[in-house]
Amino acid sequence: MGKFRKTRQKIEFLKRGLILCEGETEEKYFKGLTTKEEYRRQFAAINVEIYKPKDHSPRGLVTEAKNKIKANKKDDPYDFVWIVFDLDGHENVPDTFEQALTSKPEIRIAFTARCFEYFVLLHFARTTKSFAKCDDIIKEVKTHLPDYQKATDIFGTLEPYRETGLANSEWLMARNKPDIDNGSRVYELSAYSNIHELVNELLEMIKVPGVKAVAVE
């Protein structure tokens, strides 16, 4: 008699992550991405949360991220932690970068200058234009999205232009590389976005199937 081959299901462990956002627009963007119907299962272990420090300093995001890392370290540790914030009017930004990058494990930063709307603008324009304030960026965004409002379904709005937005964000970071190599800090730049790094990290997870059938004797 021939041997019967059985199959068992090999479950890929989902990456557990925390994305801690300073603002509602950022939170809605990343919640929109991680709850997208086609691949929400792969993102089931990722928490997207908003946290508003009492002193309105992004340094509070690092403190909150560290608290959450510590609270989950034993039973359900994070595989990655990101904080998302922008430059607009904030104090303690240099200290925020220092505390995040020297944290164990490292807390990664998704940052825009002057505000998250610069990343929105990059979905429609390849630009290094400098803006004095966030309202000026929003006015520019509205030349492409007349009905744009902060804290709306921004992910759904930008999804058709995602490839362009990510490419332009990467292009902008590359344009800033000579200044960064010469010692400039990203928060000293008039135009900057590395949001694409976090988005691309998430998109890489979608490419990995969640369940595989493995033949065994």
Side-chain angles (χ1 to χ4, degrees):
M1 295 179 62
K3 292 183 179 180
F4 288 97
R5 295 175 64 85
K6 298 180 181 179
T7 61
R8 59 181 171 84
Q9 296 294 311
K10 179 183 177 183
I11 307 299
E12 296 282 353
F13 289 101
L14 299 178
K15 280 193 174 183
R16 175 158 161 73
L18 172 66
I19 302 172
L20 199 59
C21 302
E22 160 213 38
E24 293 179 19
T25 306
E26 297 94 317
E27 179 203 30
K28 287 186 178 293
Y29 178 85
F30 285 105
K31 275 194 172 178
L33 173 58
T34 56
T35 60
K36 188 174 172 62
E37 184 63 32
E38 291 91 323
Y39 38 73
R40 63 191 306 169
R41 184 177 59 78
Q42 286 98 325
F43 293 146
I46 297 174
N47 295 330
V48 178
E49 302 176 15
I50 189 169
Y51 181 76
K52 293 183 178 291
K54 292 181 180 179
D55 64 353
H56 304 290
S57 165
R59 187 169 56 188
L61 288 173
V62 178
T63 301
E64 179 67 7
K66 287 182 176 180
N67 289 340
K68 288 182 175 293
I69 290 170
K70 184 177 180 180
N72 291 275
K73 185 176 183 179
K74 182 177 179 181
D75 297 325
D76 199 7
Y78 294 113
D79 294 301
F80 64 88
V81 175
W82 285 78
I83 59 174
V84 186
F85 69 97
D86 55 38
L87 177 66
D88 199 25
H90 291 133
E91 297 180 355
N92 303 315
V93 171
D95 190 44
T96 300
F97 271 82
E98 179 67 21
Q99 289 195 30
L101 297 177
T102 57
S103 172
K104 301 294 183 183
E106 178 182 330
I107 298 169
R108 299 187 66 188
I109 295 175
F111 179 75
T112 44
R114 168 159 310 269
C115 60
F116 188 77
E117 276 70 23
Y118 207 102
F119 175 64
V120 176
L121 178 61
L122 290 170
H123 287 69
F124 306 95
R126 176 168 285 193
T127 180
T128 59
K129 185 176 180 180
S130 176
F131 294 88
K133 54 188 178 181
C134 187
D135 286 346
D136 295 335
I137 303 176
I138 292 175
K139 287 180 182 179
E140 189 86 6
V141 168
K142 285 189 172 185
T143 64
H144 305 280
L145 296 173
D147 298 325
Y148 177 79
Q149 298 289 333
K150 292 178 73 70
T152 57
D153 178 21
I154 187 61
F155 177 77
T157 300
L158 295 180
E159 179 68 351
Y161 315 99
R162 184 174 67 188
E163 185 175 339
T164 298
L166 297 180
N168 285 346
S169 181
E170 187 171 359
W171 171 85
L172 177 60
M173 193 168 78
R175 286 292 297 267
N176 285 319
K177 190 175 186 302
D179 290 330
I180 294 171
D181 289 345
N182 286 328
S184 294
R185 305 299 185 183
V186 298
Y187 47 79
E188 297 172 338
L189 302 172
S190 59
Y192 180 83
S193 168
N194 74 321
I195 301 295
H196 64 277
E197 292 186 321
L198 172 51
V199 176
N200 284 334
E201 180 173 315
L202 293 172
L203 294 178
E204 279 297 314
M205 299 179 196
I206 301 170
K207 298 177 182 178
V208 180
V211 179
K212 296 178 181 178
V214 181
V216 295
E217 293 292 343

